[in-house]
Amino acid sequence: MSHARPPSQPNALAQAVCFSLGLTLGGTLLGVVPRAFAEQSLEAETLVVVGTALKTDTPALETPRSVSLVTEEELETRAVTKYDEALRYRSGVLAGHYGRDTKAEWFFLRGFSGENSTYQDGLRLFREGGYFWWQTEPFGLERIEVLKGPASILYGEAPPGGVINAISKRPTEEARGLLSLQGGNKGHRQLGIDSSGPVGERDDVRYRMVGLFREGDGDIDGTDNQRVYLAPSLEVDLSDRTSITLLGSYMRDHGTPTNGFYLPYGTLESTPFGRVPRGTNLGEPGYDRREVTQLSLGYELEHEVSDTWRFQQNLRYSEFDMLLRGAYLFWMLDDRQGARGLTYRDGSYDAFTVDNRMVANWYTESTENTLLVGLDYQKFDVEYGNGDNFAFAPIDIFAPRYGNFTPANIHTRHEEGKEQLGFYVQNQLTLQDRWILLAGLRRDSVDVTNRAEGSADQDFSDSQLSFTGGVMYLGDHGLSPYLSYSESFSPLVGSDPGGNAYVPSEGEQWELGVKYAPNWLDGYVNAAVFDLKESNTLYTSGEASSRQGGERRSRGFELEGVGYVTDQLQLTAAYTYTDTRVDISPEATNLRAGLIPRHQASLWLDYGFDSGMLAGLSLGGGVRYVGDSVDLPQYSDTEVPSYTLYDAKLSYDLDESWTAQLNVNNLTNEEYVSGCDYWCFYGESRSVIGSLTYRW
């Protein structure tokens, strides 16, 4: 439920500024506010809000933090079939650095791993226990929100780089539906169905059913994956003041995983035998296997306690079951023969998360205040068998032959878990429709379980206090500068060589930025500089385990703009400069971090014809530049060259219901190494997808 402003309205300039960004993020990014609103007066209900940044309904323009959004419309426009593809055209995010990996989605945010940064509907998606990684299906999303920088004030345990929150498709008040058929190279085939609307003749019960079947081959020879996905939801108005939305999902993946592990030798480095061709399978395609079933069920409850107070509760229970076998190249034995290892996991986890919030809004002649008080809890438990083999059968990397190996057996049982309870409070104060002041505080208690057969238990408990603060000025001509500070923490499992348990690593960030959204532009521009560091990180010591006390620091600049240059031409542009430094020993400090390019830039243009013989035709194209990077400094000083990729789109509305579309990514089929972290990874090859969509 949304709450409009009281009768006292903001001044005309503030209206224009908020509406300009709200319209763009709604019509261009979120796809929920049509462009027809551009010539209408401001209605508070039409202001597009984001919940990830502050956990309250707040216009993006009034958020003193960097936030990026990707809408359902953009996911369809670019024919996104893998979650990490969605953020290719946003600043501050590195994706695709491990190639097209069917086992997981990979992100770096502001130079820090986003491995534990993924959320859905405001609740954590767990990636723990060694390869037990929940995956997100983009067809089931209505938008993606990215909050950059530390976010522990609202989310508790979180890496410093930020939070990526996927928003599930919800029931709609009007009846509508979509049927999508896709086909392409690499054996790609997909059928998607999305239907929603009122249940029967009732206006207080609404449903949505999202279903998908997809199959296709991987970029590596002999690999493939098949997916079945279902996501039902039901929204019920229990009363005029209370509503509940039930959200469920089921996903089944099975196939031969893409283990794209190569070495600098034969990829970046020339050899007497040439280079290892992209797509060469150095695993065991007849033995490698990945079977995953993931299931979730939850709800979102909202109750208006009074005209001032609202209660909100998000809850989800999830289960994940996996069998994974995958051979990979380990090191070179001679000029042709490579030693291999085997990853073997068989187990499951269950997780429970709940977030309770009380939100209060009150107003005076010159102020608007939003108070957020919350209590959240999460519990995660995983049990699995480990059959890893670090002496798997060797292979000729230039002429691989398969089948000469001994199947693995489980040799160690693991029990791991995490329980976290957090209390948080945050206040947003707006003065004279000009100044926005933000302050927040959170207290967390964490219990971690880490047990393995034949080893000493490494359980531990800890608590943490986190802060955030920010100030923003809604200036003239749509120019709004801001300054913010935020913190994060991440518990670390294990102990140092002296037997001392690791303490949580801690992150903190200062960010200075400006958001520009004038009333003459149907669009916005965000610019920000940041200084982000994580202390108490681990570094190698040459001993049985790592020592603690290092630092990882990232400084950078981000520029992002989205909008309509004309009524027909839409532009999305981003630039990122990131200088990330790490300590890897007491003697080796302030070294350039591996994988992270200093420079990234992207541009996407989409032109739609709305009159004449070409009416209904839309042409789109993009270019993505990723600068040079280096290997992890503890392994080598190998440099990975920069690369530039081109994407294209052509779509045509056959009539009001039918649309045909063609998408090509990596148009020139550029062969490149996307990154190295001891292993090196080939980037994704050219993909071609044809779509036919029917809407009703």
Coordinates of all heavy atoms in Angstrom, one line a residue, residues 105-109 112-119 123-130 132-134 151-152 155-164 378 380 418 489-492 534:
E105 N 25.5 -17.4 -10.7 CA 25.7 -16.0 -11.2 C 26.8 -15.4 -10.4 O 26.9 -15.5 -9.2 CB 24.4 -15.2 -11.1 CG 23.2 -15.8 -11.8 CD 22.3 -16.7 -11.0 OE1 22.5 -16.7 -9.8 OE2 21.5 -17.4 -11.6
W106 N 27.6 -14.5 -11.2 CA 28.8 -13.9 -10.5 C 28.7 -12.4 -10.7 O 28.5 -11.9 -11.8 CB 30.0 -14.5 -11.2 CG 30.2 -16.0 -11.0 CD1 29.9 -17.0 -11.9 CD2 30.6 -16.6 -9.8 NE1 30.2 -18.2 -11.3 CE2 30.6 -18.0 -10.0 CE3 31.0 -16.2 -8.5 CZ2 31.0 -19.0 -9.1 CZ3 31.4 -17.1 -7.6 CH2 31.4 -18.5 -7.8
F107 N 29.0 -11.7 -9.6 CA 29.1 -10.2 -9.7 C 30.3 -9.8 -8.8 O 30.6 -10.4 -7.8 CB 27.8 -9.6 -9.1 CG 26.5 -10.1 -9.6 CD1 25.8 -11.2 -9.1 CD2 26.0 -9.5 -10.7 CE1 24.6 -11.6 -9.6 CE2 24.7 -9.9 -11.3 CZ 24.1 -11.0 -10.7
F108 N 30.8 -8.7 -9.2 CA 31.7 -7.8 -8.4 C 31.0 -6.5 -8.3 O 30.6 -5.9 -9.3 CB 33.1 -7.7 -8.9 CG 34.0 -8.8 -8.4 CD1 34.1 -10.0 -9.0 CD2 34.9 -8.5 -7.3 CE1 34.9 -11.0 -8.6 CE2 35.7 -9.5 -6.9 CZ 35.8 -10.8 -7.5
L109 N 30.9 -6.0 -7.1 CA 30.3 -4.6 -6.8 C 31.4 -3.7 -6.2 O 31.9 -4.0 -5.1 CB 29.1 -4.7 -5.9 CG 28.0 -5.7 -6.3 CD1 27.0 -5.7 -5.2 CD2 27.3 -5.1 -7.6
F112 N 34.5 -5.5 -5.0 CA 34.3 -6.6 -4.0 C 33.4 -7.7 -4.5 O 32.4 -7.4 -5.2 CB 33.7 -6.0 -2.7 CG 34.7 -5.2 -1.9 CD1 34.9 -3.9 -2.2 CD2 35.3 -5.7 -0.8 CE1 35.8 -3.1 -1.5 CE2 36.2 -5.0 -0.1 CZ 36.5 -3.7 -0.4
S113 N 33.7 -8.9 -4.1 CA 32.8 -10.0 -4.6 C 31.4 -9.8 -4.1 O 31.1 -9.5 -3.0 CB 33.4 -11.3 -4.0 OG 32.5 -12.4 -4.3
G114 N 30.5 -10.1 -5.0 CA 29.1 -10.1 -4.7 C 28.5 -11.5 -4.4 O 27.3 -11.7 -4.5
E115 N 29.3 -12.4 -4.0 CA 28.9 -13.8 -3.9 C 27.8 -13.9 -2.8 O 26.9 -14.7 -3.0 CB 30.1 -14.6 -3.5 CG 29.8 -16.1 -3.3 CD 31.0 -17.0 -3.1 OE1 32.1 -16.6 -3.7 OE2 31.0 -17.9 -2.4
N116 N 27.8 -13.1 -1.8 CA 26.8 -13.1 -0.8 C 25.9 -11.9 -0.8 O 25.4 -11.5 0.3 CB 27.4 -13.4 0.6 CG 28.0 -14.8 0.7 OD1 27.4 -15.7 0.5 ND2 29.3 -14.8 1.2
S117 N 25.8 -11.2 -1.9 CA 25.1 -10.0 -2.1 C 23.7 -10.1 -2.6 O 23.0 -9.1 -2.8 CB 25.9 -9.0 -3.0 OG 27.1 -8.7 -2.4
T118 N 23.3 -11.4 -2.9 CA 22.0 -11.6 -3.7 C 20.9 -11.7 -2.7 O 20.9 -12.5 -1.8 CB 22.1 -12.8 -4.6 OG1 22.6 -13.9 -3.9 CG2 23.1 -12.5 -5.7
Y119 N 19.8 -11.0 -3.0 CA 18.6 -11.0 -2.2 C 17.4 -11.1 -3.2 O 17.5 -10.8 -4.4 CB 18.4 -9.7 -1.4 CG 19.3 -9.7 -0.2 CD1 20.7 -9.5 -0.3 CD2 18.8 -9.8 1.1 CE1 21.5 -9.4 0.8 CE2 19.6 -9.7 2.2 CZ 21.0 -9.5 2.0 OH 21.8 -9.5 3.1
L123 N 14.9 -10.4 1.1 CA 15.4 -11.5 2.0 C 16.6 -12.2 1.3 O 16.6 -12.4 0.1 CB 14.3 -12.5 2.3 CG 13.0 -11.9 3.0 CD1 12.0 -13.0 3.1 CD2 13.4 -11.3 4.3
R124 N 17.5 -12.6 2.1 CA 18.8 -13.2 1.6 C 18.5 -14.5 0.8 O 17.7 -15.3 1.2 CB 19.7 -13.5 2.7 CG 21.1 -14.1 2.3 CD 21.9 -14.4 3.5 NE 22.3 -13.2 4.2 CZ 23.3 -12.4 3.9 NH1 24.0 -12.7 2.9 NH2 23.6 -11.3 4.6
L125 N 19.3 -14.6 -0.3 CA 19.4 -15.8 -1.1 C 20.8 -16.4 -0.7 O 21.8 -15.8 -0.9 CB 19.3 -15.6 -2.6 CG 18.0 -15.0 -3.1 CD1 18.1 -14.7 -4.6 CD2 16.8 -15.9 -2.8
F126 N 20.8 -17.6 -0.1 CA 22.0 -18.1 0.5 C 22.9 -18.8 -0.6 O 22.4 -19.5 -1.4 CB 21.6 -19.1 1.6 CG 21.1 -18.5 2.8 CD1 19.7 -18.4 2.9 CD2 21.9 -18.0 3.8 CE1 19.1 -17.8 4.1 CE2 21.3 -17.4 4.9 CZ 20.0 -17.3 5.1
R127 N 24.2 -18.5 -0.4 CA 25.2 -19.1 -1.2 C 26.3 -19.6 -0.3 O 27.3 -18.8 0.0 CB 25.7 -18.2 -2.3 CG 24.7 -17.8 -3.4 CD 25.2 -16.8 -4.4 NE 26.4 -17.3 -5.1 CZ 26.9 -16.8 -6.2 NH1 26.2 -15.8 -6.8 NH2 28.0 -17.2 -6.8
E128 N 26.1 -20.7 0.3 CA 27.0 -21.2 1.4 C 27.4 -22.7 1.2 O 26.9 -23.3 0.2 CB 26.3 -21.1 2.7 CG 25.7 -19.7 3.0 CD 26.7 -18.8 3.6 OE1 27.8 -19.2 3.9 OE2 26.3 -17.6 3.9
G129 N 28.2 -23.2 2.1 CA 28.5 -24.6 2.1 C 29.2 -25.2 1.0 O 29.2 -26.4 0.8
G130 N 29.8 -24.4 0.2 CA 30.6 -24.9 -1.0 C 29.7 -25.3 -2.1 O 29.3 -26.5 -2.2
F132 N 26.6 -24.6 -2.8 CA 25.2 -24.7 -2.6 C 24.7 -23.3 -2.8 O 24.4 -22.5 -1.9 CB 24.9 -25.2 -1.2 CG 25.2 -26.7 -1.1 CD1 26.4 -27.2 -0.8 CD2 24.2 -27.6 -1.3 CE1 26.7 -28.5 -0.7 CE2 24.4 -29.0 -1.2 CZ 25.7 -29.4 -0.9
W133 N 24.5 -22.9 -4.1 CA 24.3 -21.5 -4.5 C 22.9 -21.4 -5.1 O 22.6 -21.9 -6.2 CB 25.3 -21.0 -5.5 CG 26.7 -21.0 -4.9 CD1 27.0 -20.9 -3.6 CD2 27.9 -21.1 -5.6 NE1 28.4 -20.9 -3.4 CE2 29.0 -21.0 -4.7 CE3 28.2 -21.2 -7.0 CZ2 30.3 -21.1 -5.0 CZ3 29.6 -21.3 -7.3 CH2 30.6 -21.2 -6.4
W134 N 22.0 -20.7 -4.4 CA 20.7 -20.4 -5.0 C 20.8 -19.6 -6.2 O 21.6 -18.6 -6.3 CB 19.9 -19.6 -3.9 CG 18.4 -19.5 -4.3 CD1 17.8 -18.6 -5.1 CD2 17.4 -20.4 -3.8 NE1 16.5 -18.8 -5.2 CE2 16.2 -19.9 -4.4 CE3 17.3 -21.5 -3.0 CZ2 14.9 -20.5 -4.1 CZ3 16.1 -22.1 -2.7 CH2 14.9 -21.6 -3.3
A151 N 25.8 -2.3 3.4 CA 24.4 -2.2 3.6 C 24.0 -3.0 4.9 O 22.9 -3.4 5.0 CB 23.6 -2.7 2.4
S152 N 24.9 -3.1 5.8 CA 24.6 -3.9 7.0 C 23.6 -3.3 7.9 O 22.9 -3.9 8.7 CB 25.9 -4.2 7.8 OG 26.7 -5.2 7.2
Y155 N 20.6 -4.9 6.3 CA 20.6 -6.3 5.9 C 21.5 -7.2 6.8 O 21.6 -8.4 6.5 CB 21.0 -6.4 4.5 CG 20.0 -5.8 3.5 CD1 20.2 -4.5 3.1 CD2 18.8 -6.5 3.2 CE1 19.2 -3.9 2.2 CE2 17.9 -5.9 2.3 CZ 18.1 -4.6 1.9 OH 17.2 -4.0 1.1
G156 N 22.1 -6.6 7.8 CA 23.0 -7.4 8.7 C 24.2 -7.9 7.9 O 24.9 -7.1 7.3
E157 N 24.6 -9.1 8.1 CA 25.8 -9.6 7.4 C 25.7 -9.4 5.9 O 24.8 -9.8 5.3 CB 25.9 -11.1 7.7 CG 27.0 -11.8 6.9 CD 26.8 -13.3 6.7 OE1 25.9 -13.8 7.4 OE2 27.5 -13.9 6.0
A158 N 26.7 -8.7 5.4 CA 26.7 -8.4 4.0 C 28.1 -7.9 3.5 O 28.8 -7.3 4.3 CB 25.7 -7.2 3.7
P159 N 28.5 -8.3 2.3 CA 29.8 -7.9 1.9 C 29.8 -6.4 1.6 O 28.8 -5.7 1.4 CB 30.0 -8.7 0.6 CG 28.7 -9.0 0.1 CD 27.8 -9.1 1.4
P160 N 31.0 -5.7 1.5 CA 31.1 -4.3 1.4 C 30.6 -3.7 0.1 O 30.2 -2.5 0.0 CB 32.6 -4.0 1.6 CG 33.2 -5.2 2.2 CD 32.3 -6.3 1.7
G161 N 30.6 -4.5 -1.0 CA 30.3 -4.0 -2.3 C 28.9 -3.5 -2.5 O 28.6 -2.6 -3.3
G162 N 27.9 -4.1 -1.8 CA 26.5 -3.7 -2.0 C 25.6 -4.9 -2.0 O 25.9 -6.0 -1.6
V163 N 24.4 -4.6 -2.4 CA 23.3 -5.6 -2.3 C 22.5 -5.6 -3.7 O 22.3 -4.5 -4.2 CB 22.3 -5.3 -1.2 CG1 21.0 -6.0 -1.4 CG2 22.9 -5.6 0.2
I164 N 22.2 -6.8 -4.2 CA 21.4 -6.9 -5.4 C 20.1 -7.6 -5.0 O 20.1 -8.7 -4.6 CB 22.2 -7.7 -6.5 CG1 23.6 -7.1 -6.8 CG2 21.4 -7.9 -7.8 CD1 24.4 -8.0 -7.6
Q378 N 17.4 -14.8 10.6 CA 17.7 -15.7 9.5 C 18.4 -17.0 10.1 O 19.2 -16.8 11.0 CB 18.5 -15.1 8.4 CG 19.8 -14.6 8.7 CD 20.6 -14.0 7.6 OE1 20.0 -13.3 6.8 NE2 21.9 -14.1 7.5
F380 N 20.1 -20.7 8.7 CA 20.6 -21.5 7.5 C 21.3 -22.8 8.0 O 22.2 -22.7 8.9 CB 21.5 -20.7 6.7 CG 22.2 -21.5 5.6 CD1 21.6 -21.7 4.4 CD2 23.5 -22.0 5.8 CE1 22.3 -22.4 3.4 CE2 24.2 -22.7 4.9 CZ 23.6 -22.9 3.6
K418 N 24.2 -21.1 10.1 CA 24.4 -19.7 10.5 C 23.0 -19.3 11.0 O 22.0 -19.5 10.4 CB 24.8 -18.9 9.3 CG 25.2 -17.5 9.6 CD 25.7 -16.8 8.4 CE 26.9 -17.4 7.8 NZ 27.4 -16.7 6.6
F489 N 29.6 -5.8 7.8 CA 30.5 -6.8 8.4 C 30.2 -8.1 7.8 O 29.0 -8.4 7.3 CB 30.2 -6.8 9.9 CG 28.9 -7.5 10.4 CD1 28.9 -8.8 10.8 CD2 27.7 -6.8 10.3 CE1 27.8 -9.4 11.2 CE2 26.6 -7.4 10.7 CZ 26.6 -8.7 11.1
S490 N 31.1 -9.0 7.8 CA 31.0 -10.4 7.3 C 31.7 -11.4 8.2 O 32.9 -11.3 8.4 CB 31.6 -10.5 5.9 OG 31.0 -9.6 5.0
P491 N 30.9 -12.3 8.9 CA 31.6 -13.3 9.7 C 32.5 -14.2 8.9 O 32.2 -14.5 7.7 CB 30.4 -14.1 10.3 CG 29.2 -13.2 10.1 CD 29.5 -12.4 8.9
L492 N 33.6 -14.6 9.4 CA 34.5 -15.5 8.7 C 34.7 -16.8 9.5 O 34.9 -16.8 10.7 CB 35.9 -14.8 8.6 CG 35.9 -13.5 7.9 CD1 37.3 -12.8 8.0 CD2 35.6 -13.7 6.4
E534 N 37.7 -2.6 3.5 CA 37.4 -3.7 4.3 C 38.6 -4.0 5.2 O 39.7 -4.3 4.6 CB 36.9 -4.9 3.5 CG 36.5 -6.1 4.4 CD 36.1 -7.3 3.6 OE1 37.0 -7.8 2.8 OE2 35.0 -7.8 3.7

